[in-house]
Amino acid sequence: STFECPHCSKTTNIFGEGAADKIHQEFGIPVLGRIALTKSVMESGEKGTPIVLGSPESAAAQSFISAAQQLAACVSVLNFKKPKVEIS
């Protein structure tokens, strides 16, 4: 994830470059997405309207939507692999 400066639009890696990829490689945890923390994300959160509702076509909203889709896919796979429990 990155932080985008509201003054110059320069992005800075918050957790270090490639940190999520390193965790994925070491522990097998999937990378769900990369989210840029922008002024618009902050402002929409402060107004109580998630960026995915307030500006659904924005790059930030698309990043959140993509991460949510990846999470849903992972949960679906885990649920499918889970042993079936029968109640009699």
Side-chain angles (χ1 to χ4, degrees), residues 3-64:
F3 167 76
E4 182 180 290
C5 177
H7 305 291
C8 68
S9 298
K10 180 181 176 185
T11 58
T12 302
N13 290 315
I14 297 172
F15 304 111
E17 191 169 348
D21 294 324
K22 289 175 189 173
I23 291 171
H24 168 68
Q25 290 172 355
E26 187 172 341
F27 300 105
I29 299 169
V31 177
L32 299 176
R34 301 180 194 302
I35 310 241
L37 301 177
T38 63
K39 186 175 181 182
S40 61
V41 171
M42 180 268 305
E43 289 174 341
S44 67
E46 286 183 347
K47 291 177 185 174
T49 303
I51 191 81
V52 296
L53 295 178
S55 298
E57 300 301 320
S58 69
Q62 292 301 308
S63 294
F64 277 106

